[in-house]
Amino acid sequence: MKTAGAALVALQFTLFSISAFPEARSEPKTFRPPLESALKNDKFGKMVLRGKDIFIHTKELLPENVGSNLSCSSCHLDRGRLENASPLWAAFTMYPAYREKTKKVDTFTDRLAGCFKYSMNGKAPALDSEAMTALTTYAYWLSKGAPVNTELKGRGFIKVSAHVNSLTEKNGAAVYRAKCALCHGESGEGQLSGGKSVFPPLWGSQSFNAGAGMNDPATMAGFVKANMPLGLGGSLSDEEALEVAVFVTSKPRPANPK
Amino acid sequence: MSPGEMLFTQGRPPNVAACISCHAKAQSDNAQSGFPTLTGLSAEYVISQLKNFADGHRQNPLMSAIAKSITEDERSQIGDYLSKLKFPDAANVRAAKVDQGIESIVDEGAWSRKIPACISCHGTELRGVGTSFPPLTGQNELYVKNQLMAWRTNRRKGDPLRLMETLSKRLTANEISRLAIYVSTSEQSESKK
């Protein structure tokens, strides 16, 4: 299936480039992380899978470190593999980096700690712990073949072209009811199944705190536009994405721990 | 006996047949007919599907006629009754050699085709989430297959945000058949809990 698909894409591309735009330059290709089936069942491979498990079941595996009903994979879709949903392979290769948020040069593991502190409203495991090693190893493995210190296509979230005005928040409430409440609940509380979070809480005590990157409406709008509703990414207009982001980020949530 | 139980077990002659005459409570008793198991579905889901049959979003010669005869109050009564019952466990255990291609769609999705994991909406072990995302484990294979194919070929409408219509069109017919087998059975270790 994959091979056939790739062949078809290649064929279409060839036809396209010969017939229509012989001089057109190709768009930069999106980086493809390695397949899990390529992992060896050795100590490194096991650490990668441990990292993946923690990434998906963060709260269950690290209950002391997560203060919300969120996991890494709540925002980093497709196990941290999906472009425009802050894929790990585009982040790992950009660290160490100076960040205004911390006013210092952070390593990738420092950056992970920030996700625990703000996005999951918890407290990161020690930087040299097995859990942080596992998460870092998972990100490292996903980045196989990616250029270091080079901005990759699909990093972070897209930017929406829309502007906030006096009606934005009010319109956002309507977008929320129509498109988001089905899964995330009328009060943004998310939904559980068998005690496990299925639909992430978007505000309230179990959501990310006010210091999280997702609490910036522009950031959230980019995530929403490309990825929400889950499976229907790209279906909202830029305006709708920004409206609903302004609405959601206007709601109460845990304070910024600074 | 509650009005909902009365409707389910005895119907309201002459227009509303007893639900149970087609919809057995055990998954295995519906396997041949492909009629869905209804016990344990949320009241909201039952009500919305009865509406869908009545207004033509879903089509089935038997159900369309019956749904048009069921009053709004009766929909709620049936929904209320069914929601208090247990959704059955899967009658059959999955083959020891699991269909890994399908399992990965269920657990992780197929994002190169914009297909999210089934569990990301239908929940852990596909046991359903809230009022709008029904349980799948324990539903019968033929019904699951027929519904995915109905969405895929525009014969079923009315799903929230057209989520299932959209996603079923990203699946192949072959994957749909295999998904139906997978979701109607349960994992070996899980069934022994």
Side-chain angles (χ1 to χ4, degrees):
Chain A
M1 195 62 219
K2 276 222 166 72
T3 323
L8 189 63
V9 169
L11 179 66
Q12 282 173 337
F13 181 73
T14 312
L15 292 174
F16 187 76
S17 52
I18 292 171
S19 58
F21 299 101
E23 271 146 53
R25 296 285 299 267
S26 60
E27 278 270 292
K29 275 194 200 146
T30 305
F31 174 78
R32 295 269 169 250
L35 294 174
E36 211 170 287
S37 53
L39 257 187
K40 287 192 188 131
N41 184 26
D42 55 11
K43 288 194 172 158
F44 177 80
K46 283 179 184 152
M47 188 59 90
V48 170
L49 291 180
R50 171 76 180 152
K52 185 188 112 172
D53 259 5
I54 293 173
F55 196 79
I56 297 169
H57 306 290
T58 321
K59 181 161 178 135
E60 289 79 31
L61 296 175
L62 301 175
E64 305 285 302
N65 305 103
V66 177
S68 62
N69 264 338
L70 300 172
S71 64
C72 307
S73 58
S74 301
C75 301
H76 304 269
L77 303 183
D78 190 17
R79 305 157 277 157
R81 302 172 73 97
L82 190 66
E83 65 267 22
N84 302 321
S86 48
L88 287 177
W89 42 263
F92 180 81
T93 47
M94 293 303 282
Y95 285 88
Y98 176 81
R99 299 180 70 229
E100 277 301 328
K101 188 163 184 166
T102 55
K103 303 263 187 268
K104 67 180 184 68
V105 172
D106 284 339
T107 63
F108 180 75
T109 311
D110 290 329
R111 180 65 190 84
L112 286 179
C115 274
F116 278 94
K117 183 175 176 184
Y118 302 103
S119 303
M120 294 186 280
N121 192 37
K123 187 177 179 307
L127 296 185
D128 62 354
S129 62
E130 186 252 13
M132 293 301 254
T133 301
L135 286 167
T136 304
T137 307
Y138 179 52
Y140 165 77
W141 172 75
L142 283 175
S143 311
K144 183 181 167 66
V148 169
N149 196 9
T150 303
E151 186 90 23
L152 285 172
K153 183 173 174 251
R155 185 188 183 195
F157 306 123
I158 60 171
K159 295 202 169 19
V160 300
S161 26
H163 299 283
V164 178
N165 61 43
S166 58
L167 289 175
T168 304
E169 191 179 318
K170 185 165 166 280
N171 291 345
V175 175
Y176 185 84
R177 274 197 305 276
K179 307 282 185 174
C180 315
L182 174 73
C183 297
H184 295 285
E186 290 292 336
S187 312
E189 70 280 21
Q191 293 195 67
L192 305 171
S193 161
K196 290 184 192 165
S197 180
V198 177
F199 297 119
L202 301 186
W203 67 84
S205 65
Q206 294 306 309
S207 189
F208 53 85
N209 68 43
M214 198 58 98
N215 199 40
D216 170 21
T219 303
M220 183 185 277
F223 173 80
V224 167
K225 168 76 186 181
N227 301 300
M228 291 287 122
L230 194 69
L232 306 179
S235 63
L236 299 183
S237 68
D238 283 22
E239 284 73 21
E240 288 172 320
L242 184 62
E243 284 162 358
V244 81
V246 167
F247 171 74
V248 169
T249 54
S250 74
K251 294 291 185 180
R253 64 182 63 261
N256 185 349
K258 300 286 181 191
Chain B
M1 193 183 282
S2 71
E5 184 175 5
M6 188 86 91
L7 283 160
F8 191 80
T9 56
Q10 297 172 19
R12 173 172 54 72
N15 296 325
V16 181
C19 312
I20 202 167
S21 55
C22 289
H23 299 277
K25 287 187 175 179
Q27 180 200 22
S28 52
D29 294 338
N30 291 317
Q32 291 291 320
S33 67
F35 295 136
T37 304
L38 304 179
T39 52
L41 296 177
S42 75
E44 290 84 347
Y45 187 77
V46 170
I47 292 167
S48 69
Q49 298 318 308
L50 286 169
K51 274 187 198 156
N52 282 342
F53 278 115
D55 65 20
H57 282 106
R58 289 185 72 171
Q59 289 164 19
N60 175 286
L62 287 167
M63 271 318 297
S64 302
I66 294 170
K68 284 187 183 116
S69 304
I70 296 177
T71 66
E72 215 166 300
D73 281 350
E74 287 172 334
R75 280 179 198 155
S76 301
Q77 290 162 357
I78 297 170
D80 188 53
Y81 169 69
L82 289 171
S83 69
K84 288 177 180 144
L85 302 176
K86 189 182 173 303
F87 195 76
D89 288 327
N92 296 310
V93 168
R94 220 160 274 154
K97 192 173 179 304
V98 171
D99 185 340
Q100 291 194 332
I102 287 303
E103 187 165 73
S104 83
I105 293 179
V106 170
D107 289 342
E108 300 182 333
W111 283 94
S112 61
R113 290 181 283 152
K114 300 185 177 176
I115 301 171
C118 305
I119 60 165
S120 62
C121 290
H122 290 279
T124 315
E125 292 165 29
L126 301 173
R127 290 182 181 275
V129 182
T131 55
S132 300
F133 297 91
L136 300 177
T137 301
Q139 197 49 277
N140 71 76
E141 177 190 338
L142 183 56
Y143 175 72
V144 172
K145 179 180 165 179
N146 286 344
Q147 297 317 302
L148 285 167
M149 288 307 292
W151 271 309
R152 193 164 178 269
T153 54
N154 299 316
R155 287 177 289 119
R156 179 172 173 176
K157 300 278 181 186
D159 52 319
L161 305 180
R162 299 171 74 177
L163 273 165
M164 285 312 302
E165 182 193 334
T166 307
L167 296 176
S168 63
K169 288 174 180 171
R170 295 176 187 164
L171 292 163
T172 66
N174 174 276
E175 286 170 335
I176 284 176
S177 300
R178 288 157 59 203
L179 270 170
I181 296 171
Y182 187 92
V183 306
S184 61
T185 50
S186 68
E187 203 174 320
Q188 295 211 314
S189 55
E190 291 302 323
S191 67
K192 287 173 193 153
K193 265 185 188 170

